[in-house]
Amino acid sequence: MINASEIERALIGKLASDPQLAALMPDGVYWDLATLGSEKFVIVTLSTSRGLAEFHDVDTFRTFVYLVKAVALGTDSDPIAPAAERIQALLDHGDITFPAAAGCSLMLLRWVDRVRYTETAAGETWQHRGARYEITVTPL
Amino acid sequence: MPNKLKLSGFSELQRDLSTLPIDLRAQSAPIVTQHARRAAELLRATYPVVTGALRAGVKLIERVPRGVAVLYTVTSSAAHAHLYEFGTSKTSPRATFLPITERERRQSTTAVADVVTRAGLKVTGARD
C-alpha cells in the first residue's frame, strides 16, 4: 500500500536537510503552516492527486502534485529568488529516497508550474515564490 | 506474377473525413459543456461563504469557437482567490480551484477521447 504521509515526510526531509536552502530560509520547512514568528520559511502542501488503475483495479501509479514555495517577509528579491531557485534545483528531475514504509518507488519528480505572488497584510509585505511539483510513484 | 494493389473507396473516405470533425464536435460539445459547468458548480459549492466574494467570483465563460474547438473558461476572480488557494504567511493553502478544474478537465478529455476512438480514430498522448 502506498503511504502518502511517508512520501510527504521524505519530501520535507529532502528540503529540510539541504544546507543551502536552510541558509536562505532559516526558519525551516513546514507542512501547510509555519510556526508563529517565522519570517523566512518554506511551505509544502498537497495541491492535487490522482491514481491510474489499469489491471484489476490495482493502482499502476499515483501522482501527487505539491505546492512548494518559499515565503519571506519584505520586498527584496533576496533571499526569495535564490530560495525558489534552490527548491527547483533540488526537486525538478531530482531524486527522493522513500523509506520502505512508503510502499512505493519514485517514477517521476518534476516542476509543473510556477507560483509567485505578493501578500500585504497588517502593513507588512510578504513574498511567496515557488512552484508546483509532481511526484509520480509506483507501488512496490 | 505481377504485384497488384487495388485501392478503392477514396471518394467515400474523403466524404467521411470531411464530415468527421463536425460529427465529432456535435458529440463532444455536450461533454465539454457538462464538465465546464460541473467545475463551476463544484467550486461554488466548495468555497466557504464569509463575504461571498469567493463564490461570486466563479465565472464560466463560453468562448467563441474556433474551427471545431469547443472552449470554456472557468475562472475564480475574487481578489483573494490566490491567497485562498496558495495560502498566506499566516494561513495554510486550501487547494480548491486546481483539484476541481484539473479533475473535470481530465474527465472531459478522457470522454472526448472515447468519442474520437469510437469514431475509429486513434488517440495518443497524455490525456491531462
Side-chain angles (χ1 to χ4, degrees):
Chain A
M1 188 189 83
I2 295 172
N3 186 333
S5 296
E6 292 296 335
I7 294 170
E8 287 148 9
R9 192 194 303 269
L11 173 59
I12 288 176
K14 181 180 175 73
L15 294 165
S17 63
D18 181 66
Q20 212 173 318
L21 185 58
L24 293 163
M25 297 280 118
D27 293 330
V29 181
Y30 298 92
W31 178 260
D32 273 355
L33 199 57
T35 54
L36 205 62
S38 300
E39 293 185 352
K40 292 173 185 170
F41 53 92
V42 174
I43 290 290
V44 179
T45 190
L46 181 66
S47 181
T48 65
S49 64
R50 63 182 181 273
L52 180 69
E54 281 196 340
F55 306 110
H56 306 296
D57 207 27
V58 175
D59 271 356
T60 308
F61 63 78
R62 278 188 197 171
T63 294
F64 303 89
V65 178
Y66 294 100
L67 166 66
V68 183
K69 62 173 184 175
V71 183
L73 178 62
T75 56
D76 287 347
S77 62
D78 192 15
I80 193 86
E85 275 176 41
R86 184 60 189 157
I87 292 168
Q88 186 173 330
L90 288 168
L91 299 185
D92 190 22
H93 293 101
D95 195 16
I96 293 185
T97 306
F98 297 133
C104 59
S105 62
L106 182 69
M107 289 177 71
L108 181 65
L109 170 54
R110 68 175 177 184
W111 182 95
V112 175
D113 47 25
R114 189 167 192 236
V115 173
R116 178 182 177 176
Y117 56 98
T118 303
E119 169 203 355
T120 51
E124 293 178 335
T125 301
W126 293 82
Q127 293 186 77
H128 301 249
R129 204 175 298 192
R132 293 198 307 151
Y133 291 90
E134 173 189 328
I135 294 180
T136 296
V137 298
T138 189
L140 290 176
Chain B
M1 192 173 108
N3 290 325
K4 189 176 180 182
L5 176 65
K6 187 178 178 185
L7 297 173
S8 61
F10 278 115
S11 55
E12 291 87 347
L13 178 62
Q14 202 168 24
R15 190 192 61 223
D16 287 352
L17 284 175
S18 68
T19 59
L20 196 55
I22 298 164
D23 291 347
L24 293 180
R25 187 188 191 281
Q27 292 175 60
S28 303
I31 295 170
V32 177
T33 304
Q34 177 198 343
H35 285 283
R37 282 184 183 156
R38 192 156 71 191
E41 285 164 11
L42 282 170
L43 279 170
R44 291 189 190 107
T46 307
Y47 277 141
V49 179
V50 179
T51 64
L54 277 172
R55 188 171 287 190
V58 177
K59 310 269 192 240
L60 173 65
I61 303 158
E62 184 175 2
R63 300 290 180 188
V64 177
R66 273 177 269 158
V68 295
V70 182
L71 301 171
Y72 283 90
T73 303
V74 179
T75 60
S76 181
S77 61
H80 64 299
H82 65 295
L83 297 175
Y84 185 83
E85 186 81 17
F86 298 126
T88 71
S89 55
K90 301 196 173 44
T91 61
S92 57
R94 279 162 283 189
T96 307
F97 181 85
L98 288 169
I100 288 173
T101 54
E102 286 178 1
R103 186 176 62 239
E104 293 302 323
R105 186 174 54 200
R106 197 164 51 247
Q107 289 176 356
S108 171
T109 305
T110 302
V112 170
D114 288 346
V115 167
V116 174
T117 305
R118 280 200 301 274
L121 298 176
K122 188 175 180 183
V123 178
T124 60
R127 295 189 180 191
D128 57 349

